[in-house]
């Protein structure tokens, strides 16, 4: 995600709603990012839900995983995040592995829709910077990335910003990967007892490729954490 690309982008259009034959009143759509777990809650992989038709779809796997190749057909829980309603969607279905990390889904049903604040939130404590381009806080200032999801982040800073302020968040999630630069807007402020501020932020003007890259980086960090534990 380049700096100049971020500021020249137009706002990304919302994904199209599914037609009625894809399931009346369902909060799911082709292109939704989902987390796939076993019934016991073990994370299998993350994927993009595509080819949605009735109660069938495909899961195009993003993340690497340690799933045995002979796992066969299993019942799975599928958690997605609706860009339309800003809500988490909980589903169930029967999944079967296929070539090129594409899984077939059958018997896909929506179990419930929740008001979860974010999708795939990763807890972190990473050095980052926030760059404002106008106002009294103009310039690049250090901050801490507390957590991140594909839709936003929480950062800690000793500098005072205000709700609605926009800044460029720069952080390196993985040492071996390039620094990410993400255009961000403050939506929530918590003043801490130590004089610092905690800012809840949403990412804006992200392309589909940007969102895919954030998703991959988040789960690459998770894999590293699991490998060290």
């Amino acid at each position: 995600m380049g700096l100049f690309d971020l500021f020249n982008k137009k706002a990304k259009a919302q994904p199209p709603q599914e037609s009625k034959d894809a399931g009346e009143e369902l909060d799911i759509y082709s292109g939704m990012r989902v987390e796939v777990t076993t019934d016991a809650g073990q994370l299998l992989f993350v994927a993009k839900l595509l080819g949605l038709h009735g109660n069938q779809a495909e899961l195009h796997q993003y993340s690497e995983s340690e799933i045995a190749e002979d796992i066969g057909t299993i019942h799975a829980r599928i958690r997605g995040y609706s860009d339309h309603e800003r809500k988490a969607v909980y589903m169930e279905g029967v999944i079967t592995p296929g070539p090129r990390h594409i899984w077939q889904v059958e018997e896909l049903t929506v179990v419930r829709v929740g008001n979860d604040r974010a999708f795939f939130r990763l807890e972190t404590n990473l050095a980052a910077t926030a760059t404002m381009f106008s106002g009294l806080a103009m310039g690049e200032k250090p901050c801490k990335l507390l957590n991140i999801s594909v839709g936003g982040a929480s950062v800690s800073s000793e500098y005072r910003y205000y709700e609605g302020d926009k800044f460029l968040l720069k952080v390196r999630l993985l040492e071996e990967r390039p620094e990410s630069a993400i255009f961000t807007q403050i939506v929530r402020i918590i003043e801490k007892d130590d004089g610092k501020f905690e800012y809840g932020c949403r990412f804006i003007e992200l392309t589909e490729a940007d969102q895919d890259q954030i998703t991959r980086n988040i789960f690459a960090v998770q894999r590293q954490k699991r490998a060290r534990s």
Side-chain angles (χ1 to χ4, degrees):
M1 287 176 279
L3 171 59
F4 295 104
D5 290 336
L6 281 170
F7 285 94
N8 287 323
K9 290 173 191 167
K10 293 183 179 179
K12 179 179 175 292
Q14 291 290 340
Q17 294 282 355
E18 290 295 317
S19 60
K20 289 293 183 181
D21 64 1
E24 194 169 7
E25 297 183 356
L26 293 186
D27 295 89
I28 57 177
Y29 55 86
S30 290
M32 175 181 280
R33 289 166 181 77
V34 298
E35 178 184 51
V36 183
T37 64
T38 65
D39 285 337
Q42 177 189 359
L43 177 65
L44 296 175
F45 56 87
V46 290
K48 183 177 288 187
L49 184 74
L50 294 171
L52 179 63
H53 182 72
N55 65 351
Q56 298 182 337
E58 292 181 346
L59 295 172
H60 290 232
Q61 185 176 327
Y62 277 126
S63 60
E64 299 174 12
S65 62
E66 300 174 357
I67 305 172
E69 293 182 358
D70 58 350
I71 189 172
T73 298
I74 63 170
H75 186 270
R77 296 179 180 179
I78 304 168
R79 177 183 181 269
Y81 183 72
S82 172
D83 287 326
H84 308 315
E85 303 294 336
R86 303 296 179 188
K87 294 180 178 179
V89 183
Y90 294 84
M91 299 164 274
E92 293 182 355
V94 176
I95 65 173
T96 303
R100 301 186 302 277
H101 299 294
I102 297 175
W103 297 67
Q104 301 300 315
V105 188
E106 297 180 336
E107 302 176 26
L108 182 65
T109 57
V110 174
V111 177
R112 66 184 178 91
V113 176
N115 290 316
D116 297 27
R117 63 174 183 163
F119 175 63
F120 304 157
R121 187 167 292 272
L122 176 71
E123 299 299 322
T124 63
N125 186 30
L126 297 173
T129 62
T131 302
M132 296 279 290
F133 294 92
S134 63
L136 295 176
M138 186 172 60
E140 184 177 86
K141 304 289 194 302
C143 63
K144 282 281 188 181
L145 179 71
L146 302 179
N147 58 57
I148 184 171
S149 76
V150 72
S154 178
V155 299
S156 173
S157 174
E158 63 185 53
Y159 296 95
R160 184 68 162 104
Y161 303 112
Y162 297 91
E163 186 173 336
D165 281 354
K166 299 176 183 179
F167 61 87
L168 186 70
L169 176 67
K170 292 194 287 187
V171 64
R172 191 182 302 274
L173 290 175
L174 293 162
E175 290 184 3
E176 66 272 19
R177 297 196 180 185
E179 184 179 62
S180 295
I182 312 167
F183 201 31
T184 303
Q185 184 174 34
I186 295 172
V187 296
R188 186 182 66 258
I189 303 171
I190 300 174
E191 189 167 356
K192 310 299 285 187
D193 292 337
D194 60 2
K196 293 184 178 180
F197 301 91
E198 188 173 309
Y199 298 102
C201 307
R202 67 182 181 94
F203 298 146
I204 57 179
E205 300 187 11
L206 291 180
T207 66
E208 190 79 5
D210 292 337
Q211 293 177 337
D212 289 350
Q213 189 59 53
I214 292 171
T215 302
R216 290 190 176 94
N217 284 344
I218 287 173
F219 279 86
V221 174
Q222 284 192 342
R223 288 196 304 273
Q224 286 191 357
K225 285 187 173 183
R226 287 198 299 268
R228 289 194 295 265
S229 61

